[in-house]
Amino acid sequence: FWDFLILFFCLPVVIFNEITKKRLLGDLSCRIVPFMEVSSLGVTTFSLCALGIDRFHAATSPQASARPIEQCQSIIAKLAVIWVGSMTLSVPEILLWQMAQDTSPVSGVATEYCAMKPSSNLPESVYSLVLTYQNARMWWYFGCYFCLPILFTVSCQLVTRRISGTEKKTECRGTKHSQCESHLNCTIIGLTIIYGLCTTPENVCNIVVAYMSPDMSKQTLDLLNLINQFFLFFKCSVTPVLLLCLCRPLGQAFMDCCCCCCEGCGPDTASSEGSADSKLKTEMSSSIFFDKPRESPPPLLALGTPC
């Protein structure tokens, strides 16, 4: 959902700015766009950490195949912590950026751009905090939004594989539960790889700009910033598709919803039977995928009545 917000709001603003050299929505977009982009990195980072912890708990559970489904309130609480925490850590971006104007020496046309410069109208204490954040922004990006999710995911995967290899040597490897566990692990690894590949150019550019900024022209800095935003939009576009492709129950449920919307409200008997069978398969696969214990079928009742 946050990737959708980035593509829906930030992408048109960036394209409009590159075409017209005018900032859409003025100073508001100059502050909100970096805030949403950094919040997107935080949401992805902490979500990958939460998924790694979930896979570790699944591997260390005494009865992994009989783990109950997590309650909706618990999931909403975790999502709230991830989102609120990511947005809180991104608040300095709102105070760090402001809109500026520059006149081209060749064409003489005034262009608007976002400058990373705290406003002098801020209180002295807030101004010093924002200035400290600006000085440590490069290493904060590199440590929290790049090293943390990658190292955390790799560590959780290694520990999970070690525990699964030592405790399940005697179990059958071809069970549906083990296959679903491997699908989950592949999904998390795939998301981490995409995230790492898309955030690497931004971190490299931040380090280059931090140490070579006086020797670089404004056109080069703008080009590097545009490349960073392109990779961010690419990540936001690929991540949902990758998630739907690797997570089979989620992808099947998404396709069922799309088919239901296309077929209309009046399916015939054959289609209803097919949809019922597809729904049954989806429920069975999702119950296995999310470690839901299989319910034993009810006992057969004797024919006749006690009378």
Side-chain angles (χ1 to χ4, degrees):
F1 181 73
W2 199 273
D3 291 336
F4 171 77
L5 291 180
I6 293 294
L7 296 176
F8 182 78
F9 182 78
C10 298
L11 182 59
V13 172
V14 173
I15 294 178
F16 182 85
N17 182 45
E18 291 299 323
I19 294 177
T20 63
K21 302 302 179 182
K22 299 292 183 180
R23 199 71 188 181
L24 187 64
L25 300 179
D27 188 67
L28 178 63
S29 66
C30 192
R31 298 176 184 271
I32 295 299
V33 170
F35 169 76
M36 293 186 64
E37 291 177 350
V38 177
S39 298
S40 173
L41 298 178
V43 169
T44 307
T45 295
F46 300 132
S47 297
L48 289 175
C49 294
L51 290 173
I53 295 174
D54 179 75
R55 289 299 87 208
F56 177 77
H57 286 168
T60 57
S61 178
Q63 295 180 353
S65 60
R67 290 179 65 227
I69 290 182
E70 190 172 2
Q71 297 295 326
C72 182
Q73 293 81 357
S74 176
I75 297 177
I76 293 178
K78 291 180 180 179
L79 292 177
V81 170
I82 292 174
W83 280 43
V84 173
S86 302
M87 296 173 67
T88 303
L89 293 176
S90 305
V91 168
E93 295 288 332
I94 300 179
L95 306 176
L96 181 62
W97 295 86
Q98 60 178 339
M99 191 174 63
Q101 290 185 353
D102 187 20
T103 303
S104 176
V106 179
S107 60
V109 179
T111 59
E112 298 177 346
Y113 66 95
C114 290
M116 188 185 298
K117 182 181 179 181
S119 176
S120 58
N121 298 327
L122 296 174
E124 184 177 356
S125 58
V126 178
Y127 182 83
S128 61
L129 290 176
V130 175
L131 197 61
T132 303
Y133 173 81
Q134 180 182 1
N135 296 330
R137 186 174 182 268
M138 177 192 67
W139 296 111
W140 170 253
Y141 255 66
F142 182 74
C144 182
Y145 298 137
F146 182 76
C147 295
L148 177 62
I150 294 179
L151 295 179
F152 199 93
T153 303
V154 171
S155 301
C156 289
Q157 287 296 321
L158 292 177
V159 174
T160 301
R161 290 179 181 274
R162 180 66 179 272
I163 295 176
S164 301
T166 55
E167 292 184 357
K168 298 182 179 180
K169 288 183 179 180
T170 59
E171 295 183 4
C172 179
R173 294 289 181 175
T175 60
K176 291 184 178 181
H177 180 266
S178 61
Q179 293 177 359
C180 292
E181 289 292 331
S182 63
H183 285 317
L184 269 175
N185 294 330
C186 292
T187 302
I188 298 175
I189 293 175
L191 294 176
T192 305
I193 292 176
I194 291 296
Y195 179 76
L197 292 178
C198 293
T199 53
T200 297
E202 182 174 5
N203 288 275
V204 172
C205 291
N206 289 337
I207 296 176
V208 171
V209 170
Y211 290 100
M212 300 179 60
S213 180
D215 301 332
M216 301 175 67
S217 62
K218 184 179 179 300
Q219 290 77 10
T220 305
L221 295 177
D222 293 341
L223 179 61
L224 293 178
N225 185 31
L226 185 62
I227 293 174
N228 296 337
Q229 289 182 326
F230 168 77
F231 278 101
L232 177 63
F233 296 144
F234 179 76
K235 178 191 75 70
C236 295
S237 303
V238 172
T239 299
V241 178
L242 181 67
L243 188 61
L244 291 176
C245 293
L246 294 181
C247 185
R248 294 182 179 179
L250 182 61
Q252 183 63 37
F254 180 79
M255 294 302 298
D256 290 343
C257 291
C258 293
C259 293
C260 290
C261 295
C262 295
E263 288 177 358
C265 301
D268 54 0
T269 307
S271 62
S272 62
E273 291 178 356
S275 61
D277 182 63
S278 176
K279 181 179 180 181
L280 179 61
K281 291 181 179 179
T282 304
E283 291 178 352
M284 292 177 62
S285 60
S286 61
S287 64
I288 299 173
F289 194 80
F290 291 104
D291 303 329
K292 181 177 180 181
R294 287 187 176 182
E295 298 179 356
S296 59
L300 297 177
L301 299 178
L303 296 178
T305 60
C307 298

